[in-house]
């Protein structure tokens, strides 16, 4: 059971589940009826989160996402007014602006790495601006492909938490999936692309992988924490930023080979 302050989001999530149930979509949990517009009620599901370092989990999470993206063949998602439009390029420009706005605080956190990350982000955005994606078809996107939103049961897998679901381009969601997976596999983009045929759709947008999205998101989130929480999170942030920068040249080379 989940309570939503925003009735709009609650209604959106309920509508998505209702539509998915109508086509017997196997990767979601059915919503139970209740009289409170703020509450989403679902059956308890016993499972574990995805482990993106495991090939089998990568395959199954992508299988679920592919099936979700293909639901536009049965459901006219574009006619549902509750679904906002998601554009990854615009989202990253806003994230980059926030990163610059908090320069003084982030320099304390990241030290010399701050300038390097800003340079990486600026260069990536310049490359991204030269990529045309206007002809891509829009479909339903889950919107938050973090590992714990893929739940593995005994014999199946479920997508949970559709709070950020939106209309958008499937390649944007695949790019975000890659951003989540690559840190778990030593940024070995070449191997991941070879293992998963569905990822071939992102070849034309491979430069999106050079944007340091994960560390920028984590660093901005860090600023919202309490002093005690920051103390516990600081070692993770430092290690993660170091990993991003250490693999920059390797990832750039693989992206250039892929493009």
């Amino acid at each position: 059971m989940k309570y939503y302050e925003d009735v709009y989001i609650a209604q959106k999530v309920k509508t998505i589940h209702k539509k998915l149930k109508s086509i017997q979509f196997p990767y979601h949990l059915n919503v139970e009826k209740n009289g409170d517009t703020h509450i989403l009620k679902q059956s308890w599901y016993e499972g574990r989160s995805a482990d993106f370092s495991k090939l089998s989990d990568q395959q199954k999470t992508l299988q679920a996402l592919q099936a979700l993206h293909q639901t536009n063949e049965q459901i006219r998602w574009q006619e549902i007014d509750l679904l906002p439009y998601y554009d990854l390029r615009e989202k990253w420009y806003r994230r980059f602006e926030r990163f610059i706005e908090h320069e003084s605080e982030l320099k304390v956190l990241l030290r010399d790495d701050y300038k390097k990350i800003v340079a990486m982000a600026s260069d990536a955005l310049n490359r991204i601006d030269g990529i045309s994606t206007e002809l891509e078809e829009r479909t339903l996107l889950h919107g938050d492909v973090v590992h714990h939103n893929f739940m593995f049961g005994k014999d199946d897998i479920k997508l949970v938490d559709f709070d950020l679901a939106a209309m958008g381009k499937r390649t944007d969601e695949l790019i975000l999936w890659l951003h989540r997976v690559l840190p778990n596999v030593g940024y070995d983009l070449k191997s991941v692309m070879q293992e998963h045929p569905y990822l071939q759709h992102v070849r034309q947008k491979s430069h999106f992988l050079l944007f340091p999205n994960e560390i920028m998101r984590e660093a901005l989130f860090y600023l919202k924490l309490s002093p005690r929480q920051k103390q516990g999170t600081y070692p993770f942030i430092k290690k993660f930023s170091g990993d991003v920068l250490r693999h920059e040249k390797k990832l750039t080379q693989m992206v250039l080979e892929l493009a």
Side-chain angles (χ1 to χ4, degrees):
M1 188 176 294
K2 184 172 183 178
Y3 179 83
Y4 290 88
E5 290 283 351
D6 191 332
V7 176
Y8 165 85
I9 298 178
Q11 186 59 40
K12 179 185 76 170
V13 174
K14 289 180 181 181
T15 300
I16 289 171
H17 281 288
K18 181 179 179 180
K19 292 291 186 179
L20 292 176
K21 181 180 180 180
S22 72
I23 62 170
Q24 298 182 318
F25 184 71
Y27 299 105
H28 84 118
L29 295 172
N30 288 328
V31 172
E32 299 179 10
K33 290 183 179 181
N34 71 84
D36 194 323
T37 56
H38 289 268
I39 292 177
L40 179 75
K41 187 177 180 182
Q42 294 174 293
S43 300
W44 177 259
Y45 182 79
E46 191 70 34
R48 64 170 178 85
S49 300
D51 181 348
F52 284 146
S53 68
K54 295 181 178 179
L55 177 59
S56 60
D57 281 19
Q58 294 171 24
Q59 292 170 332
K60 291 176 182 177
T61 56
L62 272 180
Q63 183 180 19
L65 286 180
Q66 183 174 4
L68 182 69
H69 299 160
Q70 291 175 339
T71 57
N72 69 335
E73 298 173 3
Q74 299 169 274
I75 301 171
R76 299 180 67 84
W77 295 112
Q78 69 273 17
E79 297 179 357
I80 300 176
D81 295 333
L82 291 166
L83 291 171
Y85 175 61
Y86 184 95
D87 186 274
L88 187 57
R89 193 187 323 235
E90 292 181 9
K91 179 180 179 179
W92 282 355
Y93 265 106
R94 292 195 298 270
R95 179 162 289 168
F96 184 60
E97 289 171 357
R98 291 199 304 274
F99 203 75
I100 298 298
E101 289 171 1
H102 292 281
E103 176 180 356
S104 59
E105 300 161 274
L106 290 172
K107 276 187 174 179
V108 174
L109 171 65
L110 299 169
R111 301 183 184 277
D112 292 342
D113 288 352
Y114 175 81
K115 289 184 178 180
K116 296 175 183 177
I117 292 168
V118 167
M120 284 178 63
S122 179
D123 180 64
L125 290 173
N126 286 334
R127 292 174 183 266
I128 288 170
D129 279 341
I131 300 172
S132 176
T133 61
E134 293 305 315
L135 297 179
E136 285 189 56
E137 186 179 14
R138 298 179 187 180
T139 185
L140 177 69
L141 306 182
H142 178 273
D144 189 10
V145 291
V146 66
H147 71 286
H148 54 72
N149 283 336
F150 297 95
M151 294 298 296
F152 283 76
K154 184 178 180 181
D155 301 308
D156 57 6
I157 174 177
K158 302 295 183 183
L159 282 164
V160 298
D161 192 355
F162 281 83
D163 294 12
L164 299 180
M167 288 295 293
K169 302 157 187 171
R170 63 180 174 179
T171 52
D172 281 355
E173 187 133 273
L174 295 179
I175 289 290
L176 289 175
W177 181 90
L178 277 166
H179 271 279
R180 294 285 187 175
V181 169
L182 288 174
N184 293 277
V185 294
Y187 294 85
D188 190 354
L189 174 62
K190 185 176 181 180
S191 293
V192 174
M193 292 293 293
Q194 289 175 342
E195 292 287 354
H196 308 295
Y198 190 49
L199 294 178
Q200 296 308 309
H201 293 289
V202 307
R203 292 182 72 91
Q204 64 169 332
K205 296 173 72 171
S206 57
H207 284 107
F208 279 62
L209 298 172
L210 299 179
F211 185 77
N213 179 56
E214 299 302 296
I215 185 56
M216 294 181 77
R217 186 193 67 248
E218 294 292 345
L220 288 168
F221 178 73
Y222 173 90
L223 298 182
K224 301 176 182 179
L225 301 177
S226 68
R228 184 174 181 178
Q229 290 172 321
K230 286 180 178 178
Q231 186 176 9
T233 307
Y234 179 76
F236 165 76
I237 294 287
K238 290 297 293 181
K239 181 181 183 303
F240 193 43
S241 64
D243 287 344
V244 170
L245 294 171
R246 187 168 61 255
H247 290 93
E248 177 191 7
K249 291 183 179 179
K250 172 184 175 180
L251 181 59
T252 299
Q253 182 60 41
M254 284 187 285
V255 165
L256 292 175
E257 292 173 359
L258 187 65

